[in-house]
Amino acid sequence: MHSTSRIGASIQSSIVNTVNTIIGAGVLVLPYAIRTDSVLLGVFLIIFAGVTSALGLIIQGITSKFLPQGTATFFSACRLTYPKLSLVFDLAIFLQCFGVCVSYLVLTGDLMPLVFSISGWSAESMKVFYVLSSMLLIVPLSLLRKIDSLRYASIIALVAILYICLLIYGNFISAYLHDWKNIPKEKVGNFSYVKPEGLKLMFKTLGVIVLAYTCPNQFSIVSELHDPSIERINKIVCLSMSITTFVFISVALAGYFTFGNALSGNILLMYESTLYSQTGRTLLVLMVILSYPLMFHPARISINNVCHVIKNTYFHQQNNSTITDRSPLLQTLETFQVEESNNYDSGDDDEVPLSNSMFYILSFILLIASYCCALLLSSFEMVLSIVGATGGVLISFVLPGFYGFKLVATNDQSLKQKLFDNSPIEASNPIFQSKLLKKASLFLIIWGLSVMLICLYSIIFE
């Protein structure tokens, strides 16, 4: 007899999806992180960030067992653990997505002058021209209510990142075989194996490393997994993060040892204009322009949720006790229903009201703000540092830490009952009673908030 349950994703496909989700444009700045931190400390920080990020993903998997299968999201997890953190969740998603949008525009301005140089124009003029020209594609795509057709951008992203990694490996091998004589002398520096350039610079690049590991849709991967047992989830996390960490370390070292301490922030800017490097730059520009709307869409939804919460909390406090299901972010945990979670997870933008006028107002404000930020913040690595120190830290460490601290080894009988109701077979797994994991969750919170404060301090007061 055939089971009526769905046939979900395999472990292999889930690993591929996880790795594909994590590895992105942030890999371009990892060689610069090695230059800033030194080889020894840089590799250590990449591994440590990988381990702590893996811990956050494991906690997300554990959290999903307290919810009906296939319904786990950051939103539903916040509603289950700390309902008031729903606002923090939306802010984290907004910071993450909006910041990535800005970084895409900065990257476009950096790369396009190298792909298509305009005779007689200065580098700054070309950058402004190409950033503003990207509006021709980005604005219409960002104003679409539904952007399902852009899901194929992930294929372009995968091809682009794979090609760029091979480009970095290939240039290192070529430099090594030619004893670095094929690289202009001004682009070759000494190597720093132990001594970092400075504590403040090290903390700046830490945000980049954290952002590189951010996996904002791990809940979706878990929800689609066939037989999503804790053992299978942990296996996916461990294998995915091992592969990702290997790629990050190998790309970072290959890029660094190609140019040494002469390396600038974005390694693609270091390569001579050959057919291979131009192809990589063109692929990356195409990827980021198509990916911008994919990041813009959740950013708009999240900031609308934030506005909705602020409006209802601070301007309609007298009505808080009678808020209906049209305001899901403000419902109490006791009135939370599974069907409401399913509606939210389905991607229905109107779960929190978003009128046509508000849709366009928020769209134009965010578009203008992102373009202004991109023109003001000329450093790609600085943008990634800020995004990593805010949205990346919240998604990777702080929120999972709160989930784990609330759910693991809990004495709350209602939470224990939810675990038993939603995952009766897994409920007896010792991991749910692990006091060590509970302490590790607390460590994630402290670690995440510390990284956020230190990185932001290093960026603002550099």
Side-chain angles (χ1 to χ4, degrees), residues 230-272:
I230 291 295
E231 181 182 356
R232 287 165 66 84
I233 292 172
N234 291 348
K235 183 177 181 180
I236 289 169
V237 171
C238 292
L239 290 176
S240 299
M241 298 306 285
S242 297
I243 293 170
T244 302
T245 301
F246 172 78
V247 172
F248 283 171
I249 291 176
S250 60
V251 166
L253 292 178
Y256 175 70
F257 283 121
T258 303
F259 301 105
N261 290 335
L263 182 67
S264 62
N266 182 353
I267 192 170
L268 276 189
L269 302 180
M270 296 293 296
Y271 296 124
E272 297 296 308

Side-chain angles (χ1 to χ4, degrees), residues 161-172 268 271 274-281:
I161 295 301
L162 178 61
Y163 181 90
I164 288 166
C165 290
L166 293 176
L167 180 69
I168 293 172
Y169 295 143
N171 275 274
F172 165 69
L268 276 189
Y271 296 124
T274 64
L275 176 62
Y276 302 111
S277 60
Q278 294 292 66
T279 300
R281 291 163 182 163

